[in-house]
């Protein structure tokens, strides 16, 4: 590793911030390590309020020009960014895998193509964004989406580039400028995105990337009076802190937070399908906010469901995420491993039984775990673990199932397995969740609203909902009379 640059999987990555179209170093750094083996992979510039203020100033200076850029030109540049992502898919996939430990095959086949799609989708949606004029007592109402200003986007470590661009793309398409703060545990692909955006021709200051810890740089960003929008994906406690920080300036927030989502399996479901859906919740080592970590199974089929689940889960291969045959990679950080293990140990001490797993592996790997004999009011049922840990409870009726499903402070998602379409309609109507999947999981369309209820978040993004958040909506009312003759 040379000063201000590291090489990861053969890819050179600049470890400095990207502010106003230039690389900016900080006096101090922090170490970024790979979850695969714990080895250090880069010394990253450690931002402070100084870099935060500089990035917001750069975004503010660039905003008038970018906001005035015609829609078609903004869309063209976002498509150029997507082109750059596609050209560097292999590099981005390899760097992301080393940096956050998710499967390389998933990054190649699904995640990085989705990154490019994020830019293309919102670029195209921008060109169709309109509201039909309507009349009020002969007056014409005309609705427009006006760029709001500099946006601070704070993103998590579990899907770094995909979740970052899910925010960056609509914010830029809307005509806003952006300060992106990636998670300190997985900052590298955000730096590569800055390179790609610059190569695509994005004007200086339109996209800025500031790295560092929330307490040192995040607070300075979220409390800045020139910031017009804040979007955050992460934990409830951090969101509460950000909301308090933003309150003084009344800065609008979009918060996508944790979940404790249920998977309801009724006796009339295709059990093989239900088991497949349940085992799929171990994806990304369980580090998925949408994961249905609470398996709620009708009592009549619980024994058979558990038998089939154990048989299928036992075939999962945990190991190096760069290998094609690996199904589950490592946990992001030693602190996260300790957190997961703490949850499991306390659950076992309280009387839970580990059907599989229940312990860490070597290094930063945690064994896929299924816990039974858990109480509804227990910590392991009520709190988000964010690891490969599922619980299994039984129910005897629809009312019982819905009660258990809704009985947490979260409401991000829910999954339902049933062979009865009428039951599916009845149950989904009663579930508290931003997204409900019936006999499927993780099918997502950028046209659909996404977000959570209760403590799982505030607001919805996707399609026009994204522009509603990232813009100031304006209604212009014009009288039918009063025009002077300019003929």
């Amino acid at each position: 590793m040379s000063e201000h640059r590291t090489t990861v999987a053969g890819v050179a990555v600049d470890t400095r911030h990207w502010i106003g179209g230039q690389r900016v170093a900080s006096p101090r750094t922090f170490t970024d390590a790979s979850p695969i083996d714990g080895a250090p992979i880069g010394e990253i510039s450690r931002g402070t309020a100084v870099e935060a203020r500089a990035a917001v100033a750069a975004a503010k200076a660039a905003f008038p020009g970018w906001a005035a850029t015609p829609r078609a030109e903004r869309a063209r540049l976002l498509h150029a960014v997507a082109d750059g992502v596609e050209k560097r898919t292999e590099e981005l996939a390899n760097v992301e895998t080393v940096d956050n430990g998710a499967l390389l095959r998933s990054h190649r086949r699904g995640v990085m193509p989705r990154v490019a799609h994020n830019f293309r989708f919102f670029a195209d949606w921008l060109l169709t964004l309109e509201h039909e004029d309507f009349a009020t007592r002969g007056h014409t109402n005309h609705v427009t989406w006006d760029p709001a200003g500099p946006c601070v986007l704070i993103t998590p470590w579990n899907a770094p580039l995909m979740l970052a661009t899910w925010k960056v793309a609509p914010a830029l398409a809307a005509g806003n400028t952006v300060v992106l703060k990636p998670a300190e545990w997985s900052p590298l692909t955000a730096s590569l995105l800055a390179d790609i955006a610059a190569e695509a021709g994005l004007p200086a200051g339109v996209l800025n990337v500031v790295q560092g810890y929330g307490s040192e740089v995040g607070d300075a960003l979220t409390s800045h009076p020139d910031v017009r929008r804040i979007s955050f994906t992460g934990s409830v406690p951090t969101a509460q802190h950000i909301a308090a920080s933003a309150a003084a300036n009344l800065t609008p927030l979009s918060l996508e937070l944790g979940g404790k989502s249920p998977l309801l399996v009724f006796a009339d479901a295709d059990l093989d399908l239900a088991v497949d859906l349940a085992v799929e919740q171990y994806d990304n080592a369980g580090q998925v906010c949408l994961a249905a970590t609470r398996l709620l199974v009708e009592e009549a089929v619980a024994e058979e469901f558990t038998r089939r689940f154990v048989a299928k889960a036992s075939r999962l291969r945990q190991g190096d995420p760069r290998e094609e045959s690996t199904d589950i990679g490592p946990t992001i950080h030693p602190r996260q491993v300790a957190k997961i293990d703490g949850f499991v140990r306390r659950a076992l001490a309280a009387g839970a039984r580990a059907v599989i797993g229940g312990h860490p592996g070597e290094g930063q790997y945690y064994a896929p775990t299924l816990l039974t004999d858990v109480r509804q009011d227990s910590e392991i049922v009520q709190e988000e673990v964010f690891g490969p840990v599922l619980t299994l409870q039984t129910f005897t009726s629809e009312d019982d199932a819905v009660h258990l499903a809704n009985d947490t402070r979260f409401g991000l998602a829910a999954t339902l397995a049933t062979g009865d379409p009428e039951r599916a309609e009845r149950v989904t109507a009663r579930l508290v969740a931003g997204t409900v999947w019936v006999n499927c999981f993780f099918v997502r369309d950028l046209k659909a609203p996404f977000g959570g209820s209760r403590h799982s978040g505030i607001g919805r993004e996707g399609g026009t909902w994204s522009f509603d958040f990232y813009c100031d909506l304006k209604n212009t009312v014009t009288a039918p009379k009063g025009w002077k003759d300019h003929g």
Side-chain angles (χ1 to χ4, degrees):
M1 292 181 283
S2 61
E3 187 180 21
H4 306 320
R5 189 172 291 272
T6 187
T7 301
V8 181
V11 181
V13 184
D14 201 301
T15 57
R16 295 171 291 180
H17 315 287
W18 178 253
I19 299 174
Q22 296 181 337
R23 288 293 177 178
V24 176
S26 294
R28 294 192 298 166
T29 63
F30 64 92
T31 302
D32 181 29
S34 174
I36 298 173
D37 54 11
I41 52 178
E43 289 298 318
I44 313 300
S45 279
R46 182 171 169 174
T48 65
V50 173
E51 290 82 5
R53 288 192 293 266
V56 174
K60 182 180 180 180
F63 172 67
W66 183 244
T69 301
R71 284 187 179 190
E73 177 62 9
R74 291 206 302 266
R76 185 192 69 78
L77 287 167
L78 293 183
H79 274 291
V81 174
D83 291 341
V85 169
E86 289 177 346
K87 289 176 183 176
R88 301 185 69 176
T89 290
E90 188 68 16
E91 294 181 8
L92 291 166
N94 278 283
V95 171
E96 193 92 298
T97 295
V98 173
D99 202 18
N100 93 318
L103 300 184
L104 178 57
R105 70 169 190 254
S106 295
H107 283 144
R108 284 171 168 162
R109 300 170 190 171
V111 176
M112 296 310 160
R114 172 62 183 272
V115 168
H117 177 62
N118 285 343
F119 284 102
R120 296 200 192 283
F121 173 88
F122 287 107
D124 292 341
W125 197 269
L126 169 66
L127 299 181
T128 64
L129 189 66
E130 62 179 351
H131 191 290
E132 184 177 351
D133 289 353
F134 57 97
T136 303
R137 299 189 300 276
H139 296 64
T140 300
N141 293 263
H142 180 65
V143 177
T144 55
W145 286 261
D146 294 352
C151 299
V152 166
L153 312 178
I154 303 175
T155 54
W157 43 258
N158 58 320
L161 191 57
M162 195 277 286
L163 291 178
T165 56
W166 158 252
K167 300 176 187 296
V168 169
L172 294 179
N176 300 317
T177 51
V178 163
V179 179
L180 171 63
K181 188 225 168 281
E184 60 268 23
W185 287 351
S186 56
L188 298 184
T189 49
S191 180
L192 293 177
L193 178 63
D195 293 337
I196 291 170
E199 292 165 5
L202 211 64
V206 171
L207 173 65
N208 306 274
V209 179
V210 179
Q211 302 148 159
Y213 298 110
S215 60
E216 296 176 352
V217 70
D219 287 352
L221 291 172
T222 56
S223 64
H224 200 294
D226 290 334
V227 171
R228 295 292 178 258
R229 294 291 187 275
I230 299 170
S231 182
F232 168 74
T233 298
S235 70
V236 171
T238 303
Q240 291 169 329
H241 182 82
I242 289 172
S245 179
N249 300 309
L250 296 179
T251 308
L253 296 164
S254 176
L255 304 173
E256 195 268 282
L257 309 179
K260 196 69 180 175
S261 301
L263 165 55
L264 293 78
V265 179
F266 286 90
D268 58 17
D270 178 334
L271 273 194
D272 286 333
L273 170 63
V275 167
D276 287 345
L277 293 173
V279 174
E280 191 177 349
Q281 308 311 312
Y282 290 131
D283 183 50
N284 202 23
Q287 301 168 128
V288 179
C289 59
L290 293 164
T293 56
R294 295 185 295 133
L295 309 182
L296 307 178
V297 184
E298 192 164 357
E299 196 172 88
V301 295
E303 184 176 344
E304 179 62 15
F305 173 89
T306 304
R307 185 188 68 78
R308 297 190 196 186
F309 177 91
V310 170
K312 186 173 183 65
S314 65
R315 295 195 293 270
L316 294 174
R317 183 179 182 275
Q318 188 168 30
D320 192 323
R322 294 166 294 191
E323 296 181 7
E324 185 73 14
S325 59
T326 298
D327 299 304
I328 301 177
T331 300
I332 185 70
H333 194 276
R335 276 170 33 200
Q336 189 67 15
V337 176
K339 178 183 175 183
I340 295 166
D341 196 43
F343 272 110
V344 173
R345 286 178 180 273
R346 290 190 296 274
L348 294 174
R353 179 172 67 92
V355 178
I356 59 171
H359 57 82
E362 294 183 7
Q364 290 174 215
Y365 294 81
Y366 202 90
T369 297
L370 177 65
L371 301 177
T372 60
D373 301 333
V374 294
R375 299 192 322 272
Q376 179 63 20
D377 63 353
S378 64
E379 177 193 55
I380 197 68
V381 170
Q382 293 293 324
E383 299 300 327
E384 185 178 45
V385 177
F386 220 64
V389 178
L390 310 181
T391 60
L392 190 149
Q393 299 166 270
T394 60
F395 63 85
T396 56
S397 67
E398 281 186 20
D399 286 344
D400 187 21
V402 170
H403 169 72
L404 292 173
N406 289 340
D407 189 25
T408 75
R409 63 192 174 111
F410 297 103
L412 186 55
T415 304
L416 173 64
T418 178
D420 183 347
E422 293 181 355
R423 167 174 279 153
E425 185 175 353
R426 288 193 305 270
V427 173
T428 56
R430 299 172 64 191
L431 294 174
V432 178
T435 301
V436 180
W437 287 287
V438 179
N439 294 327
C440 61
F441 177 66
F442 217 52
V443 178
R444 286 186 55 187
D445 193 309
L446 287 178
K447 293 190 292 291
F450 179 74
S453 304
R454 297 175 175 170
H455 280 204
S456 287
I458 296 174
R460 297 291 186 271
E461 295 185 43
T464 301
W465 290 276
S466 286
F467 288 94
D468 287 347
F469 172 69
Y470 287 110
C471 291
D472 290 324
L473 269 72
K474 179 191 294 177
N475 184 40
T476 301
V477 184
T478 305
K481 299 179 180 180
W483 303 109
K484 292 184 178 181
D485 185 2
H486 291 277

